[in-house]
Amino acid sequence: MLPHLDAAYNLARWLARSSADAEDIVQDAFLRAYRGFDGLRGADAKPWLLAIVRNCFINAAQRRRRYVPLPQGDDDPGESAFIDAAPDPEQSAIRAGDGRNLNLLIASMPAEFREVLVLREMEDLSYREIARITGAPIGTVMSRLARARALLKERWLVNLEGARDAVP
């Protein structure tokens, strides 16, 4: 399971939108995976583990609904900043800004679109694996992914237009 730790954390981070919550979710998921390891069928553990991560997130979200949410602050101001080894500081700043904007756009998407986008584009899972993780038919996964990509593209272009209009 350890080779899939980064993938599990990445999915949990995007679903929970908090690094602290993601750590708790991954810890819970690994504990459940350890306890249920006998239930793993086949050699492909990554989709099985990511399905557990998703279920742990859903369970945690249901538990949190009973509480009044506190205002969300940035966990770590430098967390979303990207450090680039490129020699040109201007290009580094542009890339970092684009990365932050992309993260914000993905984070603002509805959960069903965000999760398939993260699983496909960041974790490089197949449609079948995503369907297994989310419990949705493959056709629904494909539809959600297409809609997620279109929504992300639309929001990215609107964001670019807004940035151009803001430049004096």
Side-chain angles (χ1 to χ4, degrees):
M1 291 295 130
L2 285 180
H4 306 302
L5 178 63
D6 288 340
Y9 177 78
N10 190 32
L11 176 62
R13 177 71 174 93
W14 278 107
L15 292 175
R17 299 180 185 178
S18 162
S19 58
D21 289 344
E23 290 170 1
D24 292 342
I25 290 168
V26 170
Q27 183 176 8
D28 187 28
F30 266 76
L31 183 61
R32 289 182 188 195
Y34 177 76
R35 288 180 182 157
F37 192 74
D38 293 338
L40 174 62
R41 290 177 180 77
D44 201 4
K46 187 176 183 179
W48 179 73
L49 177 63
L50 293 180
I52 295 172
V53 169
R54 180 179 182 268
N55 290 336
C56 288
F57 164 73
I58 290 169
N59 291 340
Q62 288 172 347
R63 284 191 303 267
R64 276 194 304 273
R65 286 186 189 150
R66 291 180 278 194
Y67 303 104
V68 177
L70 297 174
Q72 293 275 326
D74 228 2
D75 292 336
D76 179 6
E79 184 175 319
S80 62
F82 292 97
I83 300 173
D84 191 358
D88 183 5
E90 182 180 3
Q91 287 300 319
S92 296
I94 291 170
R95 285 187 191 143
D98 286 348
R100 282 190 298 272
N101 288 340
L102 183 60
N103 285 342
L104 289 171
L105 292 174
I106 292 172
S108 71
M109 297 176 81
E112 64 270 9
F113 295 148
R114 188 175 60 247
E115 80 180 345
V116 295
L117 191 66
V118 168
L119 290 170
R120 178 69 187 136
E121 301 302 338
M122 295 180 188
E123 297 306 327
D124 200 31
L125 295 178
S126 70
Y127 294 141
R128 186 175 313 269
E129 291 169 328
I130 296 169
R132 220 176 326 152
I133 291 168
T134 62
I138 291 178
T140 302
V141 168
M142 293 169 58
S143 173
R144 285 180 184 169
L145 186 57
R147 290 177 67 195
R149 288 172 175 159
L151 181 62
L152 183 60
K153 180 181 177 182
E154 176 186 324
R155 289 181 178 184
W156 182 264
L157 293 175
V158 166
N159 194 14
L160 284 179
E161 285 296 318
R164 270 189 248 150
D165 293 342
V167 175

